[in-house]
Structure formats: C-alpha cells, structure tokens
C-alpha cells in the first residue's frame, strides 16, 4: 500500500504554537521533506524529533516531488514542512499534493499556524470574506494585472511583503487603490509583534520616518459597497434611460425585466424608470 503525505503546519514565530499532533506525526513518519533543512533542524531538535530529512524547496519542487512520489508509492509516509506556517500557502507543497492526487496517494493536513489567517483575524478589518494575494508578482506585467484586479475587489485583501520592499509596495498600492484602510501586521506571534490599523497614506508617511523591520502581512480593505454603487450609477449617467432600456431589450429581456434591471443599475425604483419613460 502507498504511504500518506502529511502537510504539517509549523510555528510562524512562537514555538508554543506547535501542536501535539504535529510533533507526533513528525516523529512517526519515515521522512520529512523540509524547505530549508538547516532552519528546520532547529525546530526538530527543540522537540526532540530525529526523523531523517530531505530538502524540498521552490527550486527543486518538481523534480524532487517525483522522487517523493516514488517513495510514497513504495509505502513510505512523508511529512512536508516549510520554514514557517502551512505548506502550500505561499510555500512549496501545492505541486506535490496535485501529483499525489494523480497517483491516488492519500494527503492529510495537520493544521496549525498560517500568517494570513493570524493577520486577518486580528486586523480589525472585515474577515468574513477575503482574498489572499500572498507576495505580489515580481514580473511587471503580471504584477500590473494583479493590481488592476485588486482595484475591483470588494473582499478584504491579504498581501505578504518583506521589509526591504514595503515602502515601494505601499506607494504602489496607494497609486492603484487610492487611500484605502490598511492594517500592517509585523512579526506575528513573535516578541515584537505589532499591528497598525491606519490608511495607506498615513502608512506611507509613517515609514518615511521609520525603517520597516520584520516580515509584514498587509490586510487591505476592499472596495466598499458605497463605492461600488456610486461607480455603477455614474457608469450609466452618460446614456439615456431609453438607450439603457434598449441594451437589455436587445438581450431578449421582457420590458418589465428590462425596467427592473435599469432601475437596479441606476439605484432608483422601477416606478422612477416607468415615469421617466412615460414623460419622454
């Protein structure tokens, strides 16, 4: 029988966030595939875990995954860990999991810390619905595409950023999104954890006077409902109600349904549309 692949979440800073189950699984598996074996060795030593390790990182994630699949098919249980947090969330793991499904290998997640969840739940921003963007793409064309998508996003957005690029990213976000609300979460679960709920404009001014330190998670407010409604209303101001009606009638809507759609677009009642059509 094939072995099991375990995705084991490790602490993002505070070692006390390591779960009992994760420690047990890491001791029981045949092999641990670690993003950085030197970094992970400190964690394993702390919890007296002596399981053999092998490297599995961004630059070998495809070729090494094939070798790990072979071992899983041979019956070995393997755990994947990253430098911090949950494998697959902006870290290696996604490709290996997909290969496991292709081969019929069972995959189990050992839940634990994830910086994006830790940040958004403590950010003071809406967390009922959110979009996880991770690190913005480095490729300029792809980055611009993602930023343009973010301008229309109504959900709260979560972005990872390093201290070296924080100032430039904040300025870029303001240029594209305007002066949105933002919570900057720094050094989560660590000794100097800090959360700053502010606006993009105020954050830019703050970091002109202070040097960014530590890893950041940016929790950015999505476009508000009021903004969306205002934009929808202004979109239709340049065409007449008759032209607006004709647009929906051309889509084979009944006159009644067309009036309802026009009223919704313009943020008025169906009676208002009916009266306007009569007066014209």
């Amino acid at each position: 029988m094939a072995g099991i692949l375990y995705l084991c979440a490790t602490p993002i800073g505070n070692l006390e966030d390591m779960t009992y189950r994760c420690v047990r699984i890491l001791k029981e598996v045949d092999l641990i595939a670690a993003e950085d074996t030197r970094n992970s060795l400190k964690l394993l030593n702390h919890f007296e875990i002596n399981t053999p390790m092998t490297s599995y990182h961004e630059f070998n994630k495809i070729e090494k995954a094939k070798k790990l699949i072979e071992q899983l098919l041979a019956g070995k249980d393997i755990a994947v860990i990253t430098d911090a947090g949950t494998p697959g969330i902006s870290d290696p793991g996604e490709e290996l999991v997909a290969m496991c499904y292709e081969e019929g290998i069972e995959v189990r997640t050992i839940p634990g810390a994830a910086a994006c969840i830790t940040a958004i739940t403590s950010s003071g921003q809406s967390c009922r619905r959110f979009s996880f963007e991770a690190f913005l793409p480095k490729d300029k064309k792809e980055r611009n595409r993602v930023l343009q998508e973010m301008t229309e996003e109504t959900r709260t957005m979560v972005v990872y950023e390093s201290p070296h690029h924080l100032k430039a990213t904040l300025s870029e976000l303001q240029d594209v999104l305007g002066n949105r609300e933002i919570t900057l979460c720094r050094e989560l679960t660590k000794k100097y954890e800090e959360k700053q709920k502010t606006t993009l404009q105020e954050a830019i001014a703050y970091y002109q006077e202070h040097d960014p330190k530590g890893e950041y998670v940016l929790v950015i407010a999505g476009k508000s409902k009021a903004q969306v409604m205002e934009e929808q209303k202004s979109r239709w101001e340049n065409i007449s109600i008759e032209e607006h009606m004709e647009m929906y009638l051309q889509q084979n809507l009944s006159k009644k349904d067309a009036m309802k759609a026009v009223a919704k677009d313009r943020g008025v009642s169906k009676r208002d549309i009916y009266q306007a059509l009569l007066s014209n």
Side-chain angles (χ1 to χ4, degrees):
M1 291 179 64
I4 298 171
L5 179 73
Y6 293 93
L7 303 176
C8 295
T10 55
I12 59 176
N14 194 319
L15 290 179
E16 292 179 7
D17 293 334
M18 188 78 161
T19 68
Y20 291 116
R21 186 183 178 204
C22 187
V23 172
R24 176 177 63 80
I25 292 296
L26 291 178
K27 287 182 177 181
E28 291 178 354
V29 294
D30 300 294
L31 181 67
I32 296 172
E35 183 178 13
D36 185 332
T37 54
R38 293 167 300 178
N39 183 67
S40 295
L41 186 60
K42 301 172 188 175
L43 178 76
L44 300 189
N45 286 341
H46 181 83
F47 290 101
E48 299 180 351
I49 298 167
N50 300 311
T51 306
M53 271 195 298
T54 187
S55 65
Y56 176 63
H57 49 73
E58 182 66 24
F59 304 104
N60 73 352
K61 62 185 180 183
I62 302 299
E63 289 305 312
K64 191 57 172 281
K66 294 176 182 177
K67 295 178 180 179
L68 294 175
I69 290 291
E70 289 176 3
Q71 294 181 71
L72 286 160
L73 289 171
K76 286 189 175 182
D77 291 333
I78 298 176
V80 176
I81 60 175
T82 60
D83 290 346
T86 302
I89 304 296
S90 198
D91 276 320
E94 179 182 344
E95 292 79 9
L96 179 57
V97 170
M99 290 183 189
C100 283
Y101 273 85
E102 290 174 4
E103 297 292 341
I105 297 167
E106 184 178 355
V107 178
R108 296 182 188 175
T109 293
I110 311 304
C116 58
I117 300 299
T118 305
I120 195 168
T121 53
S122 60
S123 67
Q125 306 288 351
S126 173
C127 55
R128 189 178 71 85
R129 298 170 65 245
F130 67 92
S131 164
F132 177 59
E133 298 295 341
F135 287 95
L136 294 174
K138 292 180 180 178
D139 178 77
K140 189 173 181 180
K141 187 176 180 180
E142 180 67 9
R143 190 181 184 93
N144 287 337
R145 184 189 66 77
V146 171
L147 287 168
Q148 286 306 311
E149 288 178 356
M150 290 172 67
T151 63
E152 300 302 317
E153 182 60 75
T154 56
R155 297 170 295 180
T156 303
M157 296 167 283
V158 181
V159 174
Y160 288 169
E161 192 50 277
S162 68
H164 312 295
H165 299 115
L166 180 69
K167 293 182 182 180
T169 297
L170 289 174
S171 295
E172 194 172 19
L173 287 169
Q174 187 186 31
D175 289 343
V176 175
L177 303 178
N179 191 28
R180 296 279 184 92
E181 278 195 359
I182 183 173
T183 303
L184 296 95
C185 303
R186 184 178 73 85
E187 294 292 87
L188 289 169
T189 77
K190 299 177 184 177
K191 182 177 181 179
Y192 296 106
E193 175 178 330
E194 181 182 51
K195 290 176 285 292
Q196 183 182 6
K197 192 170 187 286
T198 180
T199 64
L200 280 167
Q201 187 175 346
E202 290 171 348
I204 291 167
Y206 177 85
Y207 284 105
Q208 285 175 346
E209 304 294 329
H210 302 82
D211 290 328
K213 295 179 180 179
E215 298 300 317
Y216 285 81
V217 182
L218 312 179
V219 184
I220 309 157
K223 183 184 287 186
S224 69
K225 187 176 180 181
Q227 282 179 297
V228 173
M229 290 181 67
E230 187 61 34
E231 287 178 7
Q232 288 177 340
K233 285 175 65 176
S234 63
R235 177 185 172 191
W236 305 113
E237 287 177 356
N238 295 324
I239 68 171
S240 67
I241 290 177
E242 290 79 8
E243 290 171 324
H244 201 161
M245 279 288 294
E246 186 60 28
M247 183 188 79
Y248 283 115
L249 292 171
Q250 289 291 328
Q251 298 174 27
N252 295 322
L253 267 68
S254 68
K255 191 171 182 179
K256 180 181 178 182
D257 287 340
M259 281 195 290
K260 190 183 295 184
V262 171
K264 184 178 180 181
D265 287 343
R266 292 176 176 261
V268 297
S269 70
K270 193 171 71 171
R271 179 180 290 275
D272 290 334
I273 300 301
Y274 179 73
Q275 293 295 335
L277 292 169
L278 279 181
S279 63
N280 291 334

